[in-house]
Amino acid sequence: MSIRTSVVWDYAPAPESADHVRLRDRYGLFIDGDFRDPVAGTYEPTINPATEEPIAEVAYAGPDDVSAAVEAAYAAQPKWGALPGLERGKYLYRIARLIQERARELAVVETIDGGKPLRESRDVDIPLAASHFFHYAGWADKLRYGVNAREVAPLGVVGQIVPWNFPLLMAAWKLAPALACGNVAILKPAETTPLTALLLAEICQEAELPPGVVSILTGNGDTGSALVRSNKIKKIAFTGSTAVGREIQAALAGTDVRLTLELGGKSANIVFEDAALDQAVEGIVNGIFFNQGHVCCAGSRLLIQESVRDEVIAKLWQRMRRLRVGDPLDKNTDVGAINSAEQLSRIEALVVAGEEEGATRQSIECELPERGYWFAPTLFTDVSPAHRIAVEEIFGPVVSVLTFRTQAEAIEKANNSRYGLAAGIWTDKGAKAFEVASALQAGVVWQNTYNHFDPTAAFGGYKESGFGREGGPAGLRPYLEVVR
Ligand code: NAD
Ligand code: MN
């Protein structure tokens, strides 16, 4: 196999400055348009996973705080829901513009709170969060056209629980459609990444959003659990682990609370022998190492056609060895810090299981900082479909390679999962791509690209990856009652 260049590039460090960021030492709960202390008074630090240093203290909401937020939201909803859509849209436009204005600050805070490379928070998370608000701002006065010209009404108060992998972006995915449809929302950020949601609360104030329309309740699983169980909530939207999703679904069974779940995945990235292999390798890298692999739709099962297996693996390994792991604030960094000590130990446990079950592990050699949570990009070959690393979500920078001979086998193997969130297809043949895509049980299928997100496109799962769609007109439906 020929390697196109053997030149080694040296990079000087290019750290983004964090001097312009002004965080408070301590953040209360955002209820009824203002920050307040939690009733039971607990605060916990959120740390920078790249340094293990505390950044700020954040309130943990208890049941009384949840009730207060629900009451404020319930009081605010009728007026918000009765506003002409055009007027609600103006608020959403304002929020979108303010996110753009504060983009640099939001990107740095996202990176120090969660560990993702600044290049990603700056170029993906924050701009996409703004575009979700822009997109749904446009829908606010056209709701019925998103639902086959039927007459629609808001649901009321909705509770939204988000994970730590795309903190501001997930907040935007949840809040923008809910507000556009005339609902009011209570958002529960994840414990390790609450800060950008709290800055979003400040943005809601700057946008003069009426009090109670958005509440931000920081806290842990108990906070989320109390929100799920509170009276007057009409809908819960959850993104996170399948285990918690299942627990929430059980808690809401038999009630009239609507639910959408966006859960885990073990998505297949399928490389056919006729694909442009160098391009495919870039897509494989983006599919699994983007955001340290903390991506629900990560291309974590790499399916390669046997005839090109050796070539793809050799090219992939060459490419992986050039990934730069380290300081997330450095603009040259490709792979940042693992989000938390807990997540690092989950990844380590699954990787050990992969070795014990007989797969071959290769991790790139790289100098890792002394403090913080890190995991070197890792490739597993000789993986059997029954291995835990081929079945379970690792949610880290670890890719498992499987092979196939025929198109039918590729489809069968890709669908052999209890999950069905996304898939990638790499081929030069358009007809083959469409044929395979329509046979895959996956909510999103990318052709010759991966991890490509757009506010106009629906996102969501099959099987245990959950139900309901977010994004585009399909994302309006879970937040609307069809009246007639
Ligand atoms: P999690 O499901 O525990 O947390 C997600 C959110 O739910 C957080 O805001 C959390 O506080 C909240 N929560 C936790 N318990 C709750 C409960 N009983 N009721 C209501 N809300 C609750 O996820 P995690 O523990 O942070 O991560 C575990 C695994 O989940 C990861 O290794 C990964 O495999 C998967 N995960 C998937 C996604 C995704 O985008 N699909 C996101 C994060 C994690
Ligand atoms: Mn943090």
Side-chain angles (χ1 to χ4, degrees):
M1 201 219 39
S2 70
I3 291 159
R4 284 191 297 178
T5 170
S6 57
V7 176
V8 177
W9 292 90
D10 270 334
Y11 291 81
E16 171 76 10
S17 162
D19 294 349
H20 56 94
V21 172
R22 299 272 172 278
L23 288 170
R24 309 176 195 188
D25 294 336
R26 171 177 258 219
Y27 286 88
L29 304 166
F30 186 66
I31 295 174
D32 210 11
D34 230 328
F35 287 94
R36 61 166 81 161
D37 285 328
V39 174
T42 45
Y43 281 89
E44 298 287 338
T46 181
I47 65 156
N48 178 341
T51 62
E52 301 177 52
E53 310 257 326
I55 312 166
E57 290 205 330
V58 173
Y60 270 36
D64 293 341
D65 304 309
V66 174
S67 305
V70 172
E71 289 308 326
Y74 191 75
Q77 198 278 326
K79 217 167 157 191
W80 178 253
L83 275 183
L86 190 64
E87 296 306 312
R88 283 200 304 273
K90 288 179 189 169
Y91 285 102
L92 295 186
Y93 276 120
R94 233 178 267 169
I95 292 171
R97 293 297 305 273
L98 286 163
I99 291 174
Q100 290 183 320
E101 269 172 37
R102 291 177 70 170
R104 209 171 138 223
E105 175 195 4
L106 288 165
V108 170
V109 172
E110 201 71 305
T111 284
I112 60 178
D113 202 13
K116 67 173 65 204
L118 182 87
R119 214 159 33 100
E120 293 178 7
S121 46
R122 180 195 63 194
D123 298 347
V124 181
D125 292 66
I126 310 304
L128 266 180
S131 30
H132 274 269
F133 278 102
F134 277 122
H135 180 76
Y136 284 106
W139 274 114
D141 61 343
K142 307 171 193 74
L143 296 175
R144 50 189 315 215
Y145 302 107
V147 201
N148 297 335
R150 308 286 292 274
E151 197 176 309
V152 292
L155 302 177
V157 183
V158 303
Q160 307 180 313
I161 301 170
V162 294
W164 40 261
N165 52 346
F166 295 93
L168 185 70
L169 181 57
M170 288 302 107
W173 277 32
K174 297 264 180 294
L175 291 172
L179 302 189
C181 293
N183 305 286
V184 299
I186 302 175
L187 180 82
K188 211 300 275 171
E191 34 284 66
T192 56
T193 54
L195 293 177
T196 45
L198 293 163
L199 296 183
L200 185 61
E202 291 177 0
I203 286 174
C204 291
Q205 287 180 321
E206 263 180 276
E208 294 176 17
L209 194 70
V213 172
V214 167
S215 312
I216 312 280
L217 293 183
T218 45
N220 57 13
D222 294 339
T223 309
S225 188
L227 183 60
V228 166
R229 286 160 179 79
S230 46
N231 285 330
K232 298 186 180 166
I233 294 259
K234 287 291 174 209
K235 181 210 157 56
I236 292 288
F238 172 80
T239 298
S241 62
T242 297
V244 171
R246 197 175 281 142
E247 202 269 331
I248 293 174
Q249 191 175 13
L252 294 181
T255 71
D256 67 347
V257 180
R258 297 219 201 152
L259 178 64
T260 45
L261 297 174
E262 202 264 89
L263 310 174
K266 191 74 188 176
S267 298
N269 202 0
I270 309 168
V271 182
F272 288 99
E273 61 190 1
D274 56 39
L277 295 185
D278 289 309
Q279 191 191 336
V281 165
E282 287 308 309
I284 295 164
V285 166
N286 179 45
I288 187 65
F289 300 118
F290 175 65
N291 199 25
Q292 296 73 246
H294 301 328
V295 182
C296 45
C297 52
S300 52
R301 279 190 302 149
L302 176 59
L303 266 57
I304 312 177
Q305 195 150 21
E306 266 182 20
S307 49
V308 291
R309 174 198 180 271
D310 293 348
E311 191 180 352
V312 171
I313 288 176
K315 282 176 188 281
L316 173 61
W317 180 243
Q318 284 306 323
R319 180 67 181 81
M320 279 176 64
R321 288 175 54 203
R322 286 170 197 201
L323 290 172
R324 303 174 63 85
V325 186
D327 182 5
L329 278 175
D330 191 319
K331 291 173 209 123
N332 295 325
T333 291
D334 298 308
V335 178
I338 298 303
N339 184 269
S340 66
E342 294 74 45
Q343 188 58 29
L344 180 58
S345 46
R346 280 189 208 118
I347 296 168
E348 283 168 343
L350 275 162
V351 165
V352 167
E355 289 180 295
E356 284 174 359
E357 287 184 319
T360 305
R361 169 189 178 176
Q362 282 172 278
S363 294
I364 70 166
E365 274 173 43
C366 49
E367 262 176 58
L368 299 177
E370 260 178 30
R371 304 209 55 196
Y373 316 124
W374 309 95
F375 198 87
T378 294
L379 170 71
F380 270 110
T381 48
D382 306 314
V383 179
S384 109
H387 286 164
R388 283 183 66 195
I389 53 167
V391 175
E392 295 178 35
E393 183 174 46
I394 302 176
F395 226 61
V398 181
V399 62
S400 303
V401 178
L402 298 160
T403 59
F404 65 90
R405 288 191 190 153
T406 62
Q407 179 176 317
E409 191 188 347
I411 293 167
E412 194 184 315
K413 281 193 163 154
N415 285 339
N416 179 21
S417 171
R418 61 174 186 268
Y419 293 117
L421 199 49
I425 301 172
W426 297 85
T427 173
D428 247 8
K429 308 247 181 327
K432 183 194 275 185
F434 283 112
E435 214 173 280
V436 176
S438 41
L440 291 176
Q441 296 157 349
V444 175
V445 181
W446 286 291
Q447 180 194 346
N448 294 338
T449 184
Y450 207 93
N451 274 342
H452 200 109
F453 303 102
D454 191 298
T456 64
F459 187 92
Y462 275 55
K463 300 189 265 185
E464 289 185 28
S465 290
F467 48 82
R469 292 292 178 268
E470 297 184 301
L476 296 168
R477 194 63 194 85
Y479 289 102
L480 288 172
E481 192 82 67
V482 174
V483 179
R484 69 174 78 88

